[in-house]
Each structure stands twice: as C-alpha cells, then as structure tokens.
Amino acid sequence: MSNADCAMVAIRGLNKWYGDHHVLRGVDLDVAAGERVVVLGPSGSGKSTLIRCINGLEAYEEGELDIAGVGRLAGAKAVEQSRRLTGMVFQGFNLFPHLTILENCVLAPVQVAKRDPNVVREEAMALLAKVRISDQAHKYPAQLSGGQQQRAAIARALAMQPKVMLFDEPTSALDPEMVGEVLDVMTALAASGMTMVVVTHEMGFAREVADRVVFMDAGEIVEIAPPAAFFDAPRQTRARDFVRRVR
Amino acid sequence: MSPPRPRPRQPLAQRMIDALRRRPLDAAAALAVLIMAAWIAPGLMRWAIIDATWTGETKAACTEGGACWAIVTSRWRQVLAGFYPKDHLWRVAAAALVLLAGVAPLLRRRTSGLALATAPAAVLLAYGVMEGAGVLPRAPTDYWGGFFLNLFIGLGASIFALPLGIALALGRTSRLPVVKGLCVAFIEVIRGSPLIVLLFAAAVVAPLFTPAGMTLDKLTRAMIVIILFEAAYMAEAVRGGLAGVPAGQVEAARALGLDRWRTLVFVVLPQALRIATPALVNSFIGLFKDTTLIYVIGVLDITGVLRNAVTDFAWQGLETEAYVFVAAVFWVFCFGLSRWSASLERRLSIPGKSA
Ligand SMILES: Nc1ncnc2c1ncn2[C@@H]1O[C@H](COP(=O)(O)OP(=O)(O)OP(=O)(O)O)[C@@H](O)[C@H]1O
Ligand SMILES: [Mg+2]
C-alpha cells in the first residue's frame, strides 16, 4: 500500500463518556490523505467531542485513534504527536489577544517545533498572504474583524505544518457578510490537497468541497456518503429528517 | 464620497460647563471640595510653610508659632538612614540607587522583562553594599534604619513576594490535592493573621525554635515574614487574573502543541498578570505602608526615628510635626506609585481592547 492510500486519520471503536453521559458511542472513521470530510449533525450529537478527541484536547475511554500512524505509540507521547500533526480552528478563533497576528503565528513553530525564528517569520508572512491579511500582520487580534481573525487563526494553525486540519464550526460566530471570506480560504486550502475534517452548518460548503459527509446523531455515526448522495437521497431516517430540516 | 472633516472641538470652558450640567451631583461635590479646600488651605499653608521654623537644635528654636520642622532637619541623617555609620552614608545612597536602577527597566515596555533579572539582583547587591562584604567593612542590619529601610523592605519584599504569589496562585489551581491544599491553607492562615503579630512571632518566637547553629538576623526574619504575608495577598490578586483568562486560550495553546509550562509562560500569565495589575499595585502600595510596622522588632524605620525624637526631652510635644512629615513622605511615594501604575496599565493594555 502506498502512503497516499494510507488513512491519515483512523478511528476504531471510539467511546467517550462525560461522567456517566455516553457522548461517543463506538465511532469508526477513516480519513484518507488529502480527503475532505464534513461532519454534520444536530446540536449535542458529539461533533465537537469527536474532533477534540482527534487532536487530543479530550481524552477517551475506549477505542483506538491513529493519526499518520503515530497513535500506535502509547499515552502522552501519542497525544503530543497528534497535536503536532493536527491543526485546529475554533468557533471562537481563540487568537492570543496580547500578541500581534504575526506573533500568534510564530509562537508555536519557534517554541514548540524549535525552528529558526527568521525562517518561521517569513513562512508565516507567506501564510498570512495566502489568507489575504498580510497588511494586518502587525496588528493585535482585537483590531481585526471577525472574518480576519478567523483567517488569522487558520494561518496560525497552518504555521505548524500540520498534516490534518480540524475545523469546529469556524464560521458560526461570524456576521453573515464575513462567512464567505473564511469559506473561500478553506476552499482554497482544500484545493491545495490538505486533509480536512470540518464541522459546519454551511451546507453549501459541504456540497461543494466535501469528498464525504459524515452524519452524526446521539454520539454515533449514522451515515457516511458523498455529499450529493447524502443531500439528495439520505438512506437513514434520522439523516433524512436532518436534511429536510436544514434545506 | 464626502471629504473628511477634522473632528469638531469645543473650548475647554464650554466642555466643563456641559459636563457639570449633565452631572449636577458631581458639580455639587466638586463645589463642596473646593470650599473645604479654600477653608483649610490658608491655615495649613501658614502653619506648614509661612510660620514654620526649618532649622534648630532644640524645640526652643521654634518661635514663629508654625510647624517646627527642625525636629526633622536636625536629624536628617537618621530620618534617611537610621544609625548607619556616618562615614559610610554613601553606601546607603549607593544602595538606594542600585534598588531604583533595578526596577527602572519597568518604565519601558520593551525592557520591562529585564526587571525579572535586574530587580532581584539589585536587592541582593543593595544588601551586599549595606551589610558589607569584601573591602567594605561590615555594618550589620541592626544599624540600618530610616527611610532607606522602608524603601529596602518595600521594594525587596515586593520583588520576592510577586513570584511567590504567582506560584501560590498556580498551586491553588493545581490538580494535585496535596499541593492545592497546602497553598490554600497557607494563604488562608496568613490572610487571617495581622502582620504585626506575625512580625512579632518572627522576632521573638522564631529564635526559640531555630537550631543553635543557624541564626538569621532579625531584619532578615522580618523580611521573610513580610514576603510571605504579601505573597498570600498577591496570590489572590493573581488568582483573579488567572480566572479572567478564557478557557479557549489554553485550548488554543494546547492545540498548537504548547506544553503546560509554555502555555503558562507565553499565553496564560501574560494575560492574567495584565488583568491583575491594578490589584497587584494595590498590594504593593499596602506593602510599602506596612513597612512602618517593623518597629515591633526594634528596628528604627522613618516612623521609629521620629517616634524616638518626640520622646527626646529637647523635642517633646512635637508629635504633629513628626507624623505629618511621615504621612507626607508616604503620600508622595504612594501617590507616585499609583500614578505610575495607571500609566503602566495603559502601556500594558492590549491594543484594540477596551478597558
Ligand atoms: N465538558 C463537558 N462536560 C460534560 N458534558 C459535555 C461537555 N462537553 C460536551 N458535553 C456533552 O456532550 C454531548 C456532545 O457535545 P458536543 O459539544 O460534542 O456536541 P456538538 O455536536 O458539537 O453540538 P453543537 O452543534 O451544539 O456544537 C452533549 O450532550 C453535551 O452536552
Ligand atoms: Mg460543537
């Protein structure tokens, strides 16, 4: 098997509880290198929890989770590695308010990856150009619009050169007129071949960009299908109800 | 598109009148304060300055009817430096300069990080210059005193109490129950005890328990007590700051691969300490005033020197002058500190964020 066929993210029998609340119930999911997966589902279905388990922000009680093969390492080392291999974009941006946009992007590559600050700074400027906010590099997050902040957050995550990008409702906190600029950046990122797992309520984005749609409900994956098939002819009742509601 | 216009500005007098009209209660209060000031100021001026006597060897020199500042000027050396050997007063001046130089980097945003190293170094160096080491003859802390002592204890204790306070605040949030419990217990015990009692304990009780070979002079013991005391208060200020940092900040740092330590140093503390700055400055000011309590261990700070002076037969009955002078000195320093902190807050504030 060549590297490209190899699953970038491999999840087997993942179970997670918050206290006694069973929030992930036997989740199985493979994401191939370069694949774009959009995760859909009603509120509280476990989408955020799943994505947070993937990058190690949340621990899980049962199952296996493997990113580019490192999950086979055990324990804390694996969590550390999977954080290195994944980039995360949050609904609330979570930029560091006391650092400029450029400093936000440079912090982790220099402090964690121990790379040469000059090189990192140049790369970060290139990334900021890619998300079209080079002119904001020396401003502070609070001086930017929501859309600009989210694009800066994407650049910050990319600066760690992740193999997988995770997005948790990246446009839900934005004013409608700013949603497009963030989705454009994400679409361009998808076109560049990045492996992406995206939780979103933007059905247009799911239709156009996703290779597969994963539909979750009550902690389970109910249906996995290409977007056209999922939106036009969902097989499961729960998926059908959901599609009818969001359309 | 219409061309930009300069923002309209009204004359100052007009703005003041408008402000008073909008807030009649404020206007009334301002008027009351002005009347009080006009009533008190002339008498105070006459007493403190116009009719005052500035020099003299005994109370008898004061014949003008105003304040008798001679009680202060006749012993200015003690007021500044206690009973430190006369020929070595330059060491006191040098030590004071070293202390101020140590905290000077805080005045510029660019250099403020340097203070982390320069401030503690300055305290140790000042101690060395005063106490004597190498070519400098020894002058044990028993001889230290005067306002220098207030400055030394105030600055020195602040500088060591802050990191300890941060450590305690972090310990309080620890997941290890033992660490957390110890920190909470320490903070609560200290906060529940008057400083003066702790100082007394350090002076009188502690020597009974320390092993024979180990002796710490009483000023060092007092300094340690003050550091621990202030650290407990600063811990609470820092805890408030830590609570003000949104959880998403830690998550973002973790997601970028920063470990606990780096998350703390680069993400959490810079934000928490900014939030805690007003409360911390408040405790610095409190600490500075608390330095006058060290009289209980028998060391003569500025208050002690002047309290001694008024019991001196030649100067009896001049309590008012003595305490007004001490109050004025402390007021000048504390007011300066609070102005400086206001400018510090402004300089540390995060651009684009309101308040
Ligand atoms: N920290 C937590 N402690 C306890 N329960 C939690 C916690 N976080 C989430 N849950 C619960 O876990 C379940 C899944 O939550 P999750 O946030 O993953 O849902 P979601 O699909 O992302 O929903 P949404 O679309 O509203 O973001 C919910 O029932 C939620 O109440
Ligand atoms: Mg969610």
Side-chain angles (χ1 to χ4, degrees), chain A residues 52 83 95 97-98 114, chain B residues 248-249 251 254 262 266 350:
Chain A
R52 290 161 61 86
R83 285 203 186 129
L95 289 169
H98 60 296
K114 304 286 176 208
Chain B
Q249 291 291 308
E251 292 192 342
R254 288 280 163 75
R262 290 193 176 80
F266 294 110
I350 293 162

Side-chain angles (χ1 to χ4, degrees), chain A residues 18 21 23 41-50 58 91 168-169 199 201:
Chain A
Y18 278 120
H21 185 23
V23 286
S43 181
S45 55
K47 309 179 296 288
S48 297
T49 309
L50 176 62
E58 295 284 353
Q91 181 177 343
D168 191 359
E169 304 197 24
V199 175
H201 295 300

Side-chain angles (χ1 to χ4, degrees), chain A residues 4-23:
Chain A
D5 303 324
C6 193
M8 186 62 86
V9 179
I11 302 170
R12 293 278 169 281
L14 197 69
N15 279 285
K16 169 163 183 72
W17 286 261
Y18 278 120
D20 288 331
H21 185 23
H22 197 173
V23 286

Side-chain angles (χ1 to χ4, degrees), chain A residues 147-197:
Chain A
Q148 291 172 327
Q149 288 190 52
Q150 192 58 298
R151 287 184 276 151
I154 294 173
R156 176 178 70 174
L158 289 173
M160 279 301 275
Q161 305 177 324
K163 293 237 188 288
V164 186
M165 282 288 283
L166 309 171
F167 296 82
D168 191 359
E169 304 197 24
T171 58
S172 297
L174 295 175
D175 291 338
E177 73 267 23
M178 294 171 188
V179 169
E181 65 195 43
V182 171
L183 291 181
D184 286 349
V185 164
M186 290 170 62
T187 307
L189 186 62
S192 75
M194 175 62 76
T195 311
M196 292 164 65
V197 179

